[in-house]
């Protein structure tokens, strides 16, 4: 069996070095002034990673940004330490907040479902809930309802989990209703089958809530 601990330690060290390099190259004089101290005190490098990343990100062209995002996505899918994954998750949140506050960057262009899975991997359930709710709003309701219920359970939010269930039922009923027209001779039987399916789905999600 391969011992992955040395690999994780090496990747953590590499990320610290990357953070220090970002500080050295940052357009901000205040951040550049922290580079030497961050090299001597690695927790500072981790603390300033997001700020230094964003500061450098604004100076990159589209090609460099694309390459950097590809590298980050590779780290997301690799067997990296939770410390690194948490740091990168914080980066995505930091850049999202910068957009909300009218910042100059456009946010980290990482797929929401990837960020949600990353948050779940880090057991950052509040962040996972945020990304899964965005995924739900963006139209991928069917693929994330079960996870929304599970996350709300983990956050001890049973009423929110029930709300997700009710919203899913309404959506299923709405979609089912769209298939029914007066021209169908067996509208009643089809409607009965639709409600039967809804009840099955309800029982499934209720069982998930009770587990």
């Amino acid at each position: 069996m391969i011992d992955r601990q040395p690999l994780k330690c090496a990747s953590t060290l590499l990320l610290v070095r990357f953070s220090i390099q970002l500080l050295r190259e940052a357009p901000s004089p205040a951040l550049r002034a922290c580079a030497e101290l961050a090299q001597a005190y690695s927790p500072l490098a981790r603390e300033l990673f997001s700020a230094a990343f964003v500061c450098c990100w604004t100076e990159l062209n589209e090609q460099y940004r694309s390459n950097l995002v590809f590298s980050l996505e590779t780290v997301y899918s690799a067997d990296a330490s939770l410390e690194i994954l948490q740091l990168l998750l914080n980066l995505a949140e930091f850049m999202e907040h910068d957009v909300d506050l009218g910042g100059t960057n456009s946010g980290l262009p990482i797929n929401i479902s990837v960020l949600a899975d990353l948050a779940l991997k880090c057991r950052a359930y509040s962040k996972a809930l945020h990304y899964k709710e965005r995924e739900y709003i963006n139209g991928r309701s069917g693929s994330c309802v079960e996870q929304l219920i599970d996350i709300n359970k983990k956050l001890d939010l049973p009423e929110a989990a029930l709300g997700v269930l009710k919203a899913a039922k309404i959506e299923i009923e709405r979609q089912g209703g769209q298939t029914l027209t007066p021209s169908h001779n067996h509208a009643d039987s089809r409607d009965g089958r639709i409600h039967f399916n809804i009840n099955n789905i309800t029982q499934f999600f209720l069982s998930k809530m009770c587990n």
Side-chain angles (χ1 to χ4, degrees):
M1 184 176 180
I2 299 176
D3 185 4
R4 297 185 180 276
Q5 191 61 34
L7 296 177
K8 292 183 177 180
C9 291
S11 59
T12 300
L13 181 59
L14 183 62
L15 191 65
V16 169
R17 290 177 177 173
F18 177 47
S19 180
I20 293 170
Q21 190 61 34
L22 287 173
L23 289 169
R24 287 174 175 165
E25 300 295 333
S28 167
L31 287 174
R32 288 201 305 271
C34 297
E36 294 304 318
L37 181 58
Q39 186 170 13
Y41 184 63
S42 59
L44 180 61
R46 290 191 287 269
E47 185 68 25
L48 295 177
F49 173 74
S50 293
F53 184 97
V54 171
C55 195
C56 293
W57 175 267
T58 58
E59 302 296 315
L60 299 178
N61 61 33
E62 289 300 320
Q63 183 60 50
Y64 280 113
R65 288 187 179 188
S66 178
N67 292 340
L68 188 52
V69 167
F70 177 79
S71 298
L72 290 177
E73 289 178 331
T74 301
V75 175
Y76 288 162
S77 59
D79 189 22
S81 68
L82 286 179
E83 180 185 11
I84 290 179
L85 296 179
Q86 183 67 60
L87 197 65
L88 297 177
L89 186 62
N90 290 343
L91 170 63
E93 183 181 30
F94 184 91
M95 294 185 71
E96 184 179 348
H97 287 171
D98 187 58
V99 172
D100 293 340
L101 294 173
T104 56
N105 82 79
S106 57
L108 194 62
I110 300 290
N111 189 285
I112 295 175
S113 61
V114 173
L115 294 174
D117 292 341
L118 179 62
L120 287 171
K121 192 172 183 179
C122 295
R123 297 182 180 178
Y125 297 123
S126 294
K127 293 179 182 179
L129 179 62
H130 168 69
Y131 290 122
K132 278 298 173 184
E133 285 177 341
R134 284 182 55 188
E135 193 176 346
Y136 183 91
I137 292 171
N138 287 345
R140 297 188 59 186
S141 55
S143 63
C144 60
V145 168
E146 182 180 350
Q147 286 183 306
L148 276 171
I149 291 174
D150 285 338
I151 294 169
N152 277 298
K153 282 175 54 183
K154 288 180 170 65
L155 291 172
D156 196 24
L157 298 171
E159 292 183 358
L162 186 59
V164 173
L165 173 61
K166 290 180 178 178
K169 282 189 62 178
I170 292 172
E171 180 66 17
I172 293 169
E173 289 174 338
R174 184 184 66 81
Q175 292 178 357
Q178 289 176 350
T179 65
L180 298 178
T181 63
S183 62
H184 289 110
N185 294 328
H186 301 289
D188 290 340
S189 63
R190 289 192 61 186
D191 185 66
R193 187 168 70 250
I194 288 168
H195 283 288
F196 175 76
N197 291 337
I198 291 170
N199 288 334
N200 284 346
I201 293 170
T202 300
Q203 291 301 318
F204 170 75
F205 285 129
L206 283 175
S207 68
K208 295 293 294 182
M209 292 174 63
C210 295
N211 287 340

